[in-house]
Amino acid sequence: GAVVSQHPSWVICKSGTSVKIECRSLDFQATTMFWYRQFPKQSLMLMATSNEGSKATYEQGVEKDKFLINHASLTLSTLTVTSAHPEDSSFYICSARAPDSNTEAFFGQGTRLTVV
Amino acid sequence: RKEVEQDPGPFNVPEGATVAFNCTYSNSASQSFFWYRQDCRKEPKLLMSVYSSGNEDGRFTAQLNRASQYISLLIRDSKLSDSATYLCVVNRSGYNKLIFGAGTRLAVHP
């Protein structure tokens, strides 16, 4: 099946620094990728939809200037958490769907971010 | 009200038990339905899609009732390895986003 690779799997950073997370679709072209955040014992919350070659679409309440998304190619989307704070510590997961919109989504392995 | 609602559990059951999870969705425009499984600190993985006619995959049976906007997952002969969080997921037609329920935790014990 299709594979989505996410990197890094975990990162610890200091408050005020920025962290970049990469999401790659390995065997299909993903014009759209999705970024989720999951706090402990809570469900995945969609943060934004990443569109190749255009601006990302952010969900209500998600700061676009804090969570920068770049989708420069059909196989790579990046999420940069800028000026990270401890409350940004969470599990960030990307996903991509094959061109048929009704098919399953494939998820990256997730990135556990800890801001100290 | 959340768009996809699930009983959070946890469901604690012995091996061999049959357990059923329920899910309701509020948007009648929802077109595609899925059950995902998520292990602790891991990404979600597709367990099965849910079709109007109902579908079965081994010990797992999924049902969809569009009139009631209700989805179910039945697990028979539970195994220890079934312990996980089960996520109910819906997708609206023409709306290329998956909406996740909060998940139902299952713990199968010996």
Side-chain angles (χ1 to χ4, degrees):
Chain A
V3 177
V4 174
S5 177
Q6 187 173 339
H7 177 82
S9 57
W10 61 270
V11 58
I12 302 173
C13 71
K14 292 183 178 180
S15 289
T17 61
S18 296
V19 174
K20 180 186 283 188
I21 303 170
E22 293 187 348
C23 181
R24 295 179 184 274
S25 58
L26 298 184
D27 56 1
F28 67 99
Q29 293 183 334
T31 55
T32 305
M33 291 185 177
F34 304 90
W35 287 97
Y36 295 84
R37 180 168 54 183
Q38 186 177 35
F39 291 107
K41 298 188 178 181
Q42 296 186 27
S43 186
L44 281 75
M45 296 301 297
L46 180 64
M47 298 175 67
T49 302
S50 170
N51 304 298
E52 188 269 335
S54 65
K55 292 182 180 179
T57 305
Y58 289 82
E59 295 298 301
Q60 191 173 13
V62 178
E63 299 174 59
K64 64 177 73 173
D65 294 331
K66 180 168 183 64
F67 299 100
L68 301 179
I69 291 173
N70 183 278
H71 194 155
S73 77
L74 288 171
T75 59
L76 174 63
S77 175
T78 61
L79 167 68
T80 301
V81 182
T82 63
S83 187
H85 291 284
E87 57 264 32
D88 297 324
S89 299
S90 187
F91 191 49
Y92 293 85
I93 313 178
C94 69
S95 77
R97 305 183 78 178
D100 177 353
S101 65
N102 286 331
T103 59
E104 66 177 287
F106 298 95
F107 286 84
Q109 302 93 323
T111 298
R112 189 158 301 281
L113 170 64
T114 302
V115 184
V116 297
Chain B
R1 183 189 173 191
K2 293 180 181 177
E3 187 164 346
V4 180
E5 301 238 34
Q6 292 182 252
D7 182 340
F11 284 56
N12 294 300
V13 302
E15 278 185 287
T18 295
V19 60
F21 302 140
N22 302 319
C23 171
T24 57
Y25 59 95
S26 61
N27 195 310
S28 60
S30 299
Q31 287 290 319
S32 305
F33 309 90
F34 310 91
W35 282 101
Y36 276 75
R37 169 195 168 128
Q38 185 176 25
D39 293 291
C40 187
R41 296 175 175 262
K42 300 283 189 178
E43 76 277 19
K45 293 186 178 178
L46 180 69
L47 180 65
M48 57 197 305
S49 301
V50 187
Y51 304 113
S52 296
S53 55
N55 49 298
E56 186 175 307
D57 182 2
R59 298 182 292 109
F60 300 86
T61 301
Q63 295 279 353
L64 168 64
N65 184 320
R66 287 186 184 272
S68 302
Q69 296 180 195
Y70 168 88
I71 307 161
S72 67
L73 175 68
L74 184 75
I75 304 176
R76 292 180 298 277
D77 189 22
S78 299
K79 311 291 185 189
L80 295 176
S81 57
D82 293 334
S83 298
T85 296
Y86 291 82
L87 304 169
C88 177
V89 185
V90 306
N91 178 65
R92 279 184 253 153
S93 176
Y95 184 68
N96 194 26
K97 299 178 185 180
L98 294 181
I99 309 299
F100 285 80
T104 300
R105 286 200 296 130
L106 171 66
V108 182
H109 57 80

